[in-house]
Amino acid sequence: AMQSRVLVHYPENRDRNPFNKDAVNMLCMPRGLSFCTQADRLDPHFHSFTITSDDGTRSYGFVHTFYEEVTSPQIITAMQTLYQMHHVEHHCSSSSSPSSSSSSASSLEESDAESLARVPGCLGCVGSFDAARDTLYVSKALCLITPLPFLQASRQFLAQLHQAVTSQTAPPLPLESYIYNILYEVPLPPPGRSLRFHGVHGPIVCQRPGSGELPLGDYPLGEAFTLLGVDSMVKLLTCALLETQVLLYSKDYQRLMTVAEGITTLLFPFQWQHVYLPIISTPLHHLLDAPVPFLMGIQHRDGAQRSSLHLPHEANLCFVDIDNHCVEAPEDLPPFPDQTELIQELSEVLLNFGLPPQGGVTTNPTTTTTSSSPRLSSLVLEDLMEDRQNGNLGGEELAVLERLQALAKRCGGKKGSEGGKTLEHVFEEEEEELKSAKLNIQLREVFADRFTAIFGSYEDFIVHSAPDLDSWLSNRDGSCSFDKGSFLSIQPAAHLQFLSRFLETSMFSSFVDGKIISRWVDREPLQQLFDSRLEQERLYDMSDEDSRSRPYRKCTTLSESAQMVERRLSKTDHTALHPHLLDMRIGQGRHHPGYFPKLQADVLLQAHNSHKWSSRVTASHRSEPKRSIVLYVMHDLYNLSFYQQRHAFSRRTIRQSKLLDPSPRVISQTHREFVDGLLSECRLKTKRMLMERMGKECVELGQGEASITGLQENTLIHGLCDLLERTWGHGLQLKQGKSALWSHLLHYQAAQEKMEAPVDVAGVRRSKVLEDGALLLRGFLMQDMRFIQTMRDDLSEVAQARAWIHLALEKKMLTQHLKELLRNQELLRQLYKPHAFLLCEEEREQFLFHLLSLNTVDYLCFTRTFTSISIPYRVVIIPMKKLSIAMATVNPWVCVSGELGDSGVRQIPKNSQEIFFQCKNLGRLSTLQLGVHENSGLLAKCLIDCVMVYNEITGHTYKFPCGRWLGKGVGDGSLERVLIGQLVSPGAEEDSGRCTGTPPELTSPSQSVRAVLGSLGSRSRTNSVEVQEDLREAANNLVKYFHKPEQERGNLTVLLCGEGGLVLALEKFLLHGFKSNRLFQRNVFVWDFVEKAMVSMETSDQMGDLHGSTLTKSPPWDLLCHYMNAITTSPRNIGKEGKFQLFVCLGIRDRLLSQWFPLLAECPLTSRTYEDGALLRDRAAVRSLCRILQTLNEFCITLEAALVKGVDL
């Protein structure tokens, strides 16, 4: 391969920032040397790059590439010989078979072919390279490296330097003078100021933002927006914020840098924490295997298709085809908050500068004309221009300059453009540069204002749990630094999908960590700037609007920020020392047009203070020993060290300097670090999932109540899917589709089907058997794969892989499935490279062990995500064992309801206790209606223990306890019951009461609970405290339910009708203090009292016993009678317990319950039925009950259809 090398660089090194020769060489000429002849275009090209140090700081390189004539006879002869060899090989391969053509083509290095392609006819066999006829040129580059992205100034300086080389006339001073000047005599502009320094042919201005402004961003954002469009740029920024893998693709290196730097600039106040390589050369293509978030750019080779790229990771990849103005984002990418309004505001900014917001505009930013600096008639005119920029010209002098400018306009064109640009063109370039800078700052201000609006209150949710920095650092992994749940609870619902995932990123964690440690050390500049903006925003924002309903507000600082930039560029604040003669040897630095001279190294390697010009350097200048700009020539290249101290808690998992080292040893070490990083990430993710699902105390004690559901849980599972995809993509060399995991599963499926086919007998496949002999049906890997493949036709490979992970996680079979998948070692070696994570046996076992810990909690991620699929269910009715024979006389029906709907009425077959049916996914099951038909007769009765419902896909088992009679003339005479379910262990048919690691939900009150209620009337008065406590607890659970985010709420029916629910608590309240239960037959039912109380009041009113009372004349009384009659006349025979349950549910839904209980307390029947100490006769207890019930009136309660079926109220 035709490799380039660094010819020379100045200075040799910096103490804190050693010169990385190999990295600079690769980034200056990513494709190596290129040769061409006079028949090709010889225009110089410009591109830039960035090098990230191990501590996260960046240096920026700016490269001016040009072509220089080859004068070495040896190189010319070697090139002719190489052409002749390739010419012969090309003809031989074209006349041979396709197979021989392929093999011969592979014998040449790709870079050789590309280099030779630049020689006319070398590959195409049209024409030839003739040393006697053609002039051979080779690429050469000048590179300037700076600590800050001074793009425009560096570009102008290098262009002027190259123009001095190509000009027929020698520059005013030797080139060493200009290089020495920029290395050692041009300081950084002070913050908030601009600086003018001198190139070879004219002045150059650079500026630096002040402490209260956004950091320097010189890359033209307008170009990035016009290339991709506003919509695509917002989509790309969303991908970067969520730390997906971002791959930029373009023919132009500078476009790669422009888009990459533009995106990272817009991240303020956050910073990209992962691999950042906007330009990767061919030796670095192995980094596409990196199983970590990255932002990388790769050059699009001529004629190459995207399909030719080997991309192991595509499930979470954002592919940006810059030249075709296309952004392919990962599936399920959430929208950026207020995305529509943001796009509209950005479009208005672009239109104000005359740029189209839709994108697709093609520019050619990297071709540099040879006349990129002004050709002025004299130094006097140059000084006039400088004075004009600084506003130092009076009226008469300005008039003279205007006349000169008018003359330049008239004379410009043919003659004026021969050796340089006219004044008109110079002023046009100045205006264009100013316009670009103003557009840059306004686009950045829009995004900074958005982050200010979104995270304006982030400080209120920081958790300070450590007394000092050392203790915080030692407990950092196990501590919670940010209250994510509370922060999300105050955000608009439309923003939650994005924010819940963003809060899990490394850039947000690093941002929060920086805020926490600012208690002990100085804040980082970006954090300090963002906090100061928040403080300023609070001073001017006096509104008390809820953040969830606050309207979109446009940025109000656009004009102000643009004016500050315009002031600095229009009137420079400081002027650097002019280039001057150096103490050089006579005869050095001679001018040879078209050839870059050999520079005197002794005058450029370090600063000299002995010459007469040193006295002109200011004291502040001397205080900056580390120059802000350093020069290389690449081939002649220069470097400046710039080091910024970073905190020791940096989250970076790999040294950035290693990424640019293509040696086999370092590549092996890099992939070793990737393996360790994946294992560490798995440990942290599984621990986080356990802590969030059960609470930190529950992880330690092995028990506890689930603390989150819904949104945050989905976010963590999405992160787990991403981790598995990146793990399975590491070192992958053979892939089908975009998903690495699903590709492995498909290969495994094909291998298993091929291996199992011979053992099929009469179409019956041999089933897999566990060691204990039980058939593994629901957990069978192949069966789960087949279900995923057939459940929907519109699922992509990535979606199928995620569905499979969700299903395995819900079934608690993820680890077992992955173990089975990895058992085929032959397939693993076929699919993966030797350095792949999956071929590291020890780390792989630890990885699976961490995943196994997720089996200690319950997930319903598959059930709640894939809501439209069809699921098979099996329902089994379990009677009391002693009375199981009674089931033969009953023909029951069931209706299963869940959070997504109900199954409809399903008739149990005769002489059977179970039914199998398939219906649309019901979600998590909540209630089950069990009944017998009205005409079943008096013998159709049975005592039901419970009903079991099995989800045949997820393996979940739901138990619906009953413990009561069903049938006429027994119990409360109910022919229909509404049962409340609980989730138990998958397949727990024998031990249905055994719970999983996560505690079960409340269920239907069982027969034993009812027995306790029946004896409440004879219990002592001291138990009234317990009854009232249960009532407060039930109401408190309802209040907490409605104060949770909607995505994290549980089952409302359970809180109303389950054990510990409101219905049971009110039942205890009404049964407290009964004198005797013989008044209402053998068993005590609350509904009997309520019904008798209403009849008693109506009778007393008719007989005049209630003379003067307003009880029966008030609206609450009318509504009570209306509701009682509707419940009594309902066509459903739900029994007395069911009627009271319906009475409470309707009353609490319609906010009437607090009005009805005082009516029951004042009923004449109450004094005859209850003891003096009964709660219903205690005015204070009744008032307390009413206050508790009134607190529930502020909530909108929606009842399940199963509870109110048949009652039209």
Side-chain angles (χ1 to χ4, degrees):
M2 299 192 181
Q3 299 178 350
S4 59
R5 66 182 178 88
V6 176
L7 299 180
V8 65
H9 62 92
Y10 306 104
E12 282 291 340
N13 251 324
R14 288 295 185 186
D15 294 338
R16 295 180 178 177
N17 192 10
F19 176 61
N20 191 338
K21 181 181 292 188
D22 294 333
V24 172
N25 181 28
M26 277 195 300
L27 294 172
C28 280
M29 289 189 171
R31 297 179 68 175
L33 292 177
S34 60
F35 290 87
C36 59
T37 67
Q38 74 282 353
D40 298 306
R41 294 190 61 180
L42 300 177
D43 298 331
H45 292 272
F46 173 85
H47 80 273
S48 57
F49 62 84
T50 181
I51 297 179
T52 305
S53 62
D54 293 337
D55 66 355
T57 57
R58 295 178 190 168
S59 298
Y60 293 85
F62 304 98
V63 185
H64 182 96
T65 305
F66 58 96
Y67 289 93
E68 193 172 87
E69 182 180 347
V70 178
T71 58
S72 169
Q74 292 87 353
I75 296 179
I76 295 174
T77 303
M79 179 57 63
Q80 178 130 14
T81 303
L82 186 61
Y83 159 73
Q84 292 171 351
M85 292 171 57
H86 180 74
H87 183 76
V88 172
E89 187 172 356
H90 175 79
H91 279 286
C92 293
S93 61
S94 61
S95 60
S96 61
S97 62
S99 60
S100 62
S101 172
S102 174
S103 62
S104 61
S106 64
S107 66
L108 270 183
E109 289 286 336
E110 186 178 8
S111 54
D112 289 337
E114 290 167 356
S115 299
L116 289 172
R118 292 185 174 273
V119 181
C122 189
L123 291 181
C125 295
V126 179
S128 63
F129 171 66
D130 187 349
R133 181 189 62 197
D134 297 324
T135 303
L136 185 65
Y137 292 88
V138 65
S139 57
K140 210 168 191 179
L142 303 171
C143 176
L144 187 67
I145 293 186
T146 70
L148 294 175
F150 293 115
L151 173 69
Q152 302 300 336
S154 301
R155 186 172 186 169
Q156 292 179 41
F157 178 82
L158 293 175
Q160 291 188 30
L161 201 63
H162 177 236
Q163 184 189 356
V165 174
T166 58
S167 176
Q168 294 300 316
T169 59
L173 296 170
L175 294 185
E176 287 87 345
S177 296
Y178 302 101
I179 295 172
Y180 183 90
N181 177 251
I182 202 170
L183 282 176
Y184 304 111
E185 297 174 339
V186 178
L188 278 174
R193 302 286 181 172
S194 56
L195 172 75
R196 183 177 63 246
F197 64 96
H198 287 74
V200 180
H201 292 292
I204 301 171
V205 178
C206 60
Q207 60 90 23
R208 190 176 174 192
S211 58
E213 301 176 69
L214 294 176
L216 178 65
D218 214 17
Y219 282 82
L221 278 173
E223 182 183 332
F225 274 87
T226 52
L227 280 169
L228 295 176
V230 177
D231 292 38
S232 294
M233 280 294 287
V234 173
K235 185 188 299 183
L236 175 55
L237 180 70
T238 304
C239 292
L241 286 166
L242 298 182
E243 296 184 340
T244 67
Q245 294 177 321
V246 178
L247 183 62
L248 309 178
Y249 195 51
S250 175
K251 292 182 180 179
D252 196 312
Y253 290 124
Q254 185 57 19
R255 285 185 180 176
L256 296 175
M257 274 296 295
T258 298
V259 174
E261 280 296 306
I263 287 299
T264 54
T265 300
L266 294 176
L267 293 177
F268 171 85
F270 308 105
Q271 295 176 280
W272 183 258
Q273 299 291 312
H274 302 281
V275 176
Y276 182 71
L277 292 172
I279 297 175
I280 57 172
S281 58
T282 301
L284 300 180
H285 281 192
H286 68 92
L287 292 176
L288 294 176
D289 266 354
V292 294
F294 58 68
L295 202 167
M296 295 194 291
I298 188 171
Q299 189 190 38
H300 175 203
R301 303 179 185 276
D302 294 333
Q305 301 295 326
R306 182 199 162 169
S307 57
S308 63
L309 288 175
H310 177 65
L311 302 176
H313 312 278
E314 291 185 88
N316 203 32
L317 176 71
C318 177
F319 186 83
V320 185
D321 190 342
I322 300 175
D323 299 334
N324 292 318
H325 326 295
C326 175
V327 174
E328 299 177 19
E331 297 179 17
D332 302 328
L333 182 72
F336 190 84
D338 294 317
Q339 179 167 300
T340 303
E341 294 83 356
L342 174 63
I343 290 175
Q344 178 63 32
E345 184 177 7
L346 293 170
S347 300
E348 292 174 3
V349 172
L350 290 173
L351 289 172
N352 289 339
F353 286 85
L355 297 176
Q358 68 272 15
V361 178
T362 302
T363 60
N364 187 18
T366 62
T367 300
T368 305
T369 60
T370 57
S371 56
S372 59
S373 60
R375 186 190 65 168
L376 304 177
S377 59
S378 67
L379 292 178
V380 176
L381 185 55
E382 178 181 338
D383 293 337
L384 282 174
M385 284 188 60
E386 296 175 7
D387 288 337
R388 173 186 179 270
Q389 290 178 345
N390 288 281
N392 296 328
L393 288 179
E396 183 177 345
E397 293 88 349
L398 187 58
V400 173
L401 183 58
E402 288 174 350
R403 287 196 298 273
L404 287 172
Q405 183 180 356
L407 179 63
K409 289 182 178 180
R410 291 195 300 272
C411 299
K414 298 180 180 178
K415 294 182 180 179
S417 61
E418 181 181 352
K421 293 187 177 179
T422 64
L423 281 176
E424 176 188 4
H425 294 157
V426 172
F427 294 145
E428 286 179 358
E429 284 188 351
E430 289 179 1
E431 291 300 322
E432 195 64 31
E433 183 178 343
L434 176 60
K435 174 183 173 182
S436 176
K438 292 166 66 175
L439 175 58
N440 260 21
I441 195 63
Q442 291 197 7
L443 290 171
R444 294 174 64 197
E445 285 287 351
V446 171
F447 282 98
D449 188 67
R450 281 291 84 218
F451 288 122
T452 301
I454 296 171
F455 296 98
S457 60
Y458 86 98
E459 294 172 294
D460 299 336
F461 302 93
I462 299 287
V463 179
H464 297 284
S465 56
D468 53 64
L469 180 58
D470 290 337
S471 60
W472 180 82
L473 288 173
S474 60
N475 297 306
R476 179 168 160 239
D477 287 342
S479 62
C480 175
S481 302
F482 191 79
D483 189 352
K484 299 173 183 177
S486 299
F487 176 79
L488 291 174
S489 67
I490 67 168
Q491 302 301 318
H495 300 179
L496 296 181
Q497 289 291 335
F498 170 83
L499 290 175
S500 64
R501 287 175 57 178
F502 178 70
L503 298 186
E504 299 296 328
T505 60
S506 295
M507 72 173 71
F508 182 77
S509 298
S510 178
F511 177 76
V512 171
D513 289 347
K515 182 64 178 178
I516 291 176
I517 69 162
S518 66
R519 299 166 59 194
W520 305 292
V521 298
D522 293 337
R523 285 182 294 179
E524 289 192 351
L526 290 184
Q527 187 118 37
Q528 186 173 356
L529 174 58
F530 186 67
D531 289 346
S532 65
R533 286 183 164 233
L534 293 183
E535 293 173 4
Q536 187 176 4
E537 182 73 16
R538 296 187 191 107
L539 290 177
Y540 293 100
D541 185 12
M542 306 302 295
S543 62
D544 295 329
E545 294 176 295
D546 185 358
S547 58
R548 285 173 289 189
S549 58
R550 179 172 295 183
Y552 184 90
R553 295 179 181 176
K554 292 184 178 180
C555 181
T556 59
T557 60
L558 297 183
S559 177
E560 178 186 352
S561 59
Q563 288 173 3
M564 298 174 73
V565 173
E566 183 174 11
R567 181 195 62 79
R568 287 194 293 270
L569 290 178
S570 300
K571 181 179 179 181
T572 52
D573 301 297
H574 303 279
T575 301
L577 185 67
H578 284 240
H580 50 84
L581 285 172
L582 303 174
D583 295 330
M584 297 175 59
R585 294 188 301 273
I586 299 176
Q588 293 292 325
R590 288 183 177 179
H591 180 69
H592 299 282
Y595 295 93
F596 199 91
K598 184 178 181 180
L599 303 176
Q600 284 196 30
D602 56 340
V603 299
L604 295 177
L605 288 178
Q606 60 184 357
H608 301 281
N609 297 323
S610 58
H611 52 74
K612 62 181 180 180
W613 300 95
S614 300
S615 60
R616 297 180 55 180
V617 181
T618 63
S620 63
H621 192 136
R622 293 195 194 101
S623 66
E624 292 188 66
K626 293 179 279 298
R627 282 277 48 78
S628 57
I629 288 182
V630 199
L631 186 63
Y632 301 89
V633 183
M634 156 68 259
H635 285 3
D636 306 50
L637 301 160
Y638 317 67
N639 172 16
L640 167 100
S641 69
F642 180 77
Y643 183 83
Q644 178 183 0
Q645 183 64 37
R646 304 281 289 192
H647 297 298
F649 65 86
S650 174
R651 289 180 178 270
R652 302 176 192 279
T653 58
I654 188 169
R655 291 176 55 193
Q656 297 289 306
S657 59
K658 284 187 175 182
L659 299 178
L660 296 174
D661 191 338
S663 63
R665 180 183 61 83
V666 175
I667 290 177
S668 177
Q669 291 178 358
T670 300
H671 284 290
R672 180 71 249 177
E673 292 185 20
F674 284 148
V675 169
D676 295 339
L678 285 172
L679 183 60
S680 176
E681 186 179 355
C682 180
R683 177 181 62 83
L684 293 175
K685 277 190 181 294
T686 52
K687 181 179 180 180
R688 171 74 199 286
M689 291 176 71
L690 289 174
M691 290 175 64
E692 293 291 351
R693 191 72 179 93
M694 300 175 63
K696 183 177 179 181
E697 297 79 11
C698 304
V699 174
E700 297 172 354
L701 300 176
Q703 59 185 358
E705 185 177 353
S707 61
I708 69 163
T709 55
L711 179 67
Q712 287 181 283
E713 181 177 296
N714 291 339
T715 301
L716 295 175
I717 294 174
H718 182 277
L720 177 65
C721 294
D722 175 48
L723 172 62
L724 291 175
E725 283 287 358
R726 287 188 282 112
T727 303
W728 256 252
H730 182 232
L732 181 63
Q733 60 185 358
L734 184 61
K735 178 164 70 80
Q736 299 178 19
K738 289 188 174 183
S739 169
L741 176 59
W742 192 249
S743 172
H744 192 172
L745 286 166
L746 290 175
H747 282 101
Y748 172 84
Q749 185 183 43
Q752 288 297 110
E753 289 177 348
K754 182 178 179 180
M755 186 170 55
E756 292 180 1
V759 302
D760 285 356
V761 179
V764 179
R765 191 177 298 275
R766 177 171 53 88
S767 299
K768 186 176 179 64
V769 181
L770 288 177
E771 293 179 0
D772 60 0
L775 292 176
L776 182 60
L777 299 176
R778 293 186 292 270
F780 190 25
L781 173 59
M782 298 288 288
Q783 181 176 337
D784 287 349
M785 274 200 68
R786 295 188 187 105
F787 175 77
I788 297 297
Q789 289 170 320
T790 58
M791 72 177 189
R792 270 173 54 183
D793 296 331
D794 58 342
L795 290 181
S796 64
E797 298 96 341
V798 176
Q800 286 179 315
R802 290 177 180 171
W804 183 85
I805 295 171
H806 280 68
L807 179 57
L809 187 61
E810 185 165 324
K811 295 177 66 173
K812 303 188 178 184
M813 294 292 296
L814 182 59
T815 302
Q816 289 85 338
H817 281 352
L818 294 179
K819 276 186 177 179
E820 176 66 25
L821 183 64
L822 298 173
R823 194 168 283 131
N824 190 334
Q825 293 293 318
E826 182 181 351
L827 180 61
L828 278 177
R829 288 189 291 270
Q830 178 185 347
L831 297 179
Y832 288 91
K833 301 172 185 176
H835 65 254
F837 178 90
L838 297 183
L839 292 178
C840 301
E841 186 172 352
E842 183 178 347
E843 287 78 8
R844 186 180 67 204
E845 291 302 317
Q846 294 182 48
F847 189 91
L848 295 175
F849 176 78
H850 292 312
L851 292 179
L852 183 62
S853 64
L854 297 178
N855 287 0
T856 59
V857 293
D858 291 324
Y859 285 103
L860 290 170
C861 47
F862 180 85
T863 300
R864 286 174 171 161
T865 302
F866 301 93
T867 58
S868 60
I869 64 173
S870 182
I871 297 287
Y873 294 94
R874 184 165 60 99
V875 180
V876 179
I877 300 175
I878 301 178
M880 289 292 186
K881 293 184 178 180
K882 295 181 179 180
L883 301 172
S884 58
I885 192 172
M887 285 297 299
T889 63
V890 180
N891 190 21
W893 57 265
V894 294
C895 178
V896 183
S897 299
E899 55 192 1
L900 301 178
D902 64 70
S903 64
V905 174
R906 304 282 178 165
Q907 185 67 49
I908 305 292
K910 288 186 177 181
N911 300 321
S912 176
Q913 295 177 204
E914 68 177 87
I915 182 175
F916 181 92
F917 62 86
Q918 193 156 340
C919 67
K920 184 179 177 181
N921 185 8
L922 303 177
R924 181 161 192 160
L925 304 186
S926 55
T927 60
L928 180 141
Q929 301 172 61
L930 173 65
V932 295
H933 294 287
E934 186 76 25
N935 56 0
S936 298
L938 293 176
L939 294 179
K941 61 184 71 174
C942 63
L943 183 59
I944 304 297
D945 180 23
C946 63
V947 180
M948 307 295 295
V949 180
Y950 305 95
N951 185 320
E952 296 295 305
I953 297 300
T954 66
H956 277 141
T957 300
Y958 295 87
K959 180 181 181 181
F960 295 83
C962 181
R964 285 167 283 174
W965 283 96
L966 189 68
K968 293 182 180 179
V970 63
D972 64 346
S974 174
L975 298 181
E976 177 184 339
R977 296 200 180 277
V978 178
L979 308 179
I980 313 299
Q982 71 177 16
L983 178 65
V984 295
S985 299
E989 301 179 21
E990 297 297 329
D991 185 15
S992 59
R994 181 172 57 89
C995 301
T996 59
T998 305
E1001 293 184 349
L1002 304 176
T1003 58
S1004 313
S1006 63
Q1007 183 68 25
S1008 59
V1009 174
R1010 298 293 176 181
V1012 171
L1013 290 179
S1015 62
L1016 274 176
S1018 60
R1019 297 176 70 176
S1020 65
R1021 193 171 303 171
T1022 56
N1023 285 329
S1024 63
V1025 176
E1026 181 182 338
V1027 173
Q1028 290 177 300
E1029 183 62 32
D1030 291 344
L1031 188 59
R1032 283 191 291 268
E1033 182 66 22
N1036 189 41
N1037 288 335
L1038 288 168
V1039 173
K1040 289 192 292 185
Y1041 169 90
F1042 286 102
H1043 278 87
K1044 288 182 180 179
E1046 189 172 351
Q1047 298 85 351
E1048 298 183 10
R1049 295 175 181 176
N1051 191 337
L1052 180 61
T1053 302
V1054 171
L1055 300 180
L1056 290 174
C1057 308
E1059 289 186 28
L1062 184 65
V1063 172
L1064 185 59
L1066 291 175
E1067 204 167 348
K1068 291 180 181 180
F1069 186 92
L1070 290 177
L1071 284 172
H1072 181 268
F1074 262 115
K1075 289 183 178 178
S1076 173
N1077 61 6
R1078 289 179 295 176
L1079 182 62
F1080 304 120
Q1081 302 174 4
R1082 181 179 177 182
N1083 295 324
V1084 177
F1085 296 104
V1086 173
W1087 181 252
D1088 287 327
F1089 164 72
V1090 176
E1091 200 171 30
K1092 294 290 184 180
M1094 186 186 68
V1095 174
S1096 172
M1097 292 177 68
E1098 289 178 342
T1099 304
S1100 300
D1101 182 43
Q1102 294 172 2
M1103 298 178 61
D1105 292 345
L1106 297 177
H1107 180 69
S1109 174
T1110 60
L1111 284 179
T1112 59
K1113 298 180 178 60
S1114 61
W1117 170 255
D1118 295 337
L1119 288 172
L1120 176 61
C1121 294
H1122 176 62
Y1123 275 69
M1124 292 281 294
N1125 290 330
I1127 294 171
T1128 304
T1129 59
S1130 169
R1132 298 174 65 189
N1133 193 337
I1134 55 178
K1136 297 174 182 179
E1137 293 178 359
K1139 289 177 180 178
F1140 179 74
Q1141 176 175 285
L1142 184 56
F1143 171 79
V1144 173
C1145 291
L1146 292 174
I1148 200 67
R1149 182 196 69 180
D1150 298 335
R1151 302 175 175 87
L1152 297 172
L1153 212 55
S1154 60
Q1155 303 175 33
W1156 289 347
F1157 269 85
L1159 298 178
L1160 296 177
E1162 297 180 25
C1163 173
L1165 182 64
T1166 303
S1167 59
R1168 301 194 301 268
T1169 310
Y1170 287 89
E1171 299 175 354
D1172 293 337
L1175 290 173
L1176 194 58
R1177 296 187 61 180
D1178 186 343
R1179 292 181 178 272
V1182 174
R1183 284 196 297 270
S1184 175
L1185 170 63
C1186 293
R1187 285 195 299 269
I1188 292 174
L1189 296 176
Q1190 284 170 357
T1191 61
L1192 303 177
N1193 291 346
E1194 62 179 286
F1195 306 118
C1196 181
I1197 294 178
T1198 302
L1199 301 176
E1200 279 193 38
L1203 296 177
V1204 295
K1205 184 179 178 181
V1207 179
D1208 187 14
L1209 286 172

